[in-house]
């Protein structure tokens, strides 16, 4: 990098902003965000942060949760139930999945199993179902 005359080297570009809550596509993605990125995501969505000492990972996750996609919220709830040893609650959450949630789970399985023709069809159905509901966060 060549210094600019009279200005010195250019500073590195800023890091990309964290995703907005409704752009987070999985529970794993949400849980892998740093505390700072969760706070920045909440601020980008117009949310008010808790006080500094109360701004824990758990508190920020709960703050973001209502704005997450329905499937991400369900997966978080299933994970919590399993961590607490409540297999029945996790099974009930899985069984109570909406049509959109069922399509999303089937799409993920098809991609994992490399059945791409089926995945393309499921993707189309998922787009239709999502557009009928006005987006996944409204389920």
């Amino acid at each position: 990098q060549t210094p600019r005359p009279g200005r010195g080297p250019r500073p590195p570009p800023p890091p990309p902003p964290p995703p907005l809550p409704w752009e987070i596509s999985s529970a794993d993605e949400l849980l892998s965000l740093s505390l700072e990125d969760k706070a920045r995501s909440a601020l980008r969505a117009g949310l008010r942060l808790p006080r500094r000492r109360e701004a824990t990972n758990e508190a920020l996750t709960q703050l973001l949760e209502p704005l997450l996609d329905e499937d991400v919220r369900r997966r978080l709830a299933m994970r919590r139930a399993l961590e607490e040893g409540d297999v029945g609650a996790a099974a009930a959450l899985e069984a109570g999945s909406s049509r959109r949630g069922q399509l999303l789970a089937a799409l993920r399985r098809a991609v994992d199993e490399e059945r791409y023709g089926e995945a393309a069809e499921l993707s189309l159905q998922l787009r239709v179902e999502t557009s009928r509901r006005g987006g996944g966060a409204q389920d």
Side-chain angles (χ1 to χ4, degrees), residues 16-28:
L20 288 161
W22 49 87
E23 295 172 342
I24 296 171
S25 61
S26 71
D28 289 336

Side-chain angles (χ1 to χ4, degrees), residues 20-36:
L20 288 161
W22 49 87
E23 295 172 342
I24 296 171
S25 61
S26 71
D28 289 336
E29 180 183 357
L30 174 67
L31 297 175
S32 71
L33 289 176
S34 68
L35 183 70
E36 181 181 292

